[in-house]
Amino acid sequence: MRPLQPATIEYSLLMLVLVNANQEVTPAPLARALGISMPRLAFSADRLEARGLLGRDRDAMDSESSRIHLTRKGRELVQKTEAVAASMESGRPAPMSLAERALLSELLERMDERGPR
């Protein structure tokens, strides 16, 4: 399977734009929602725009402001990613029992205490 390639922040940005597609999506609320700085948001948006996944429109009333939207290619990537996630979840093993979770927790704690080898 070929990797889908968006970084975590970039994928999160795509999803936020998709979820808010019926509203004007501007950079500041997106940066706040992602917990990142405006320069980091601009960098990620630039990368996504260069790949043809996002578009930005200048506000007619305020040339300093822009609105962000998904392109057709961006929507297709989100749909493909959701399909891959759904197929991975369908093959997921049954939930662990309480005893299995306790054992896993104990083993992970031991590994953490020992540190990297």
Side-chain angles (χ1 to χ4, degrees), residues 30-84:
L30 290 172
R32 278 193 304 275
L34 292 168
I36 60 175
S37 67
M38 286 295 290
R40 176 68 173 118
L41 179 86
F43 175 78
S44 295
D46 288 345
R47 287 175 47 126
L48 291 169
E49 191 171 28
R51 290 181 58 198
L53 302 171
L54 278 186
R56 290 186 261 198
D57 300 317
R58 288 279 171 217
D59 188 323
M61 304 301 266
D62 179 5
S63 62
E64 295 291 315
S65 185
S66 63
R67 290 181 303 281
I68 299 175
H69 64 272
L70 283 180
T71 63
R72 179 186 53 76
K73 188 175 175 183
R75 284 189 299 280
E76 289 171 359
L77 177 66
V78 169
Q79 290 170 345
K80 189 182 295 185
T81 304
E82 289 173 336
V84 168

Side-chain angles (χ1 to χ4, degrees), residues 1 81-95:
M1 177 193 310
T81 304
E82 289 173 336
V84 168
S87 71
M88 292 172 81
E89 287 177 2
S90 66
R92 191 172 70 199

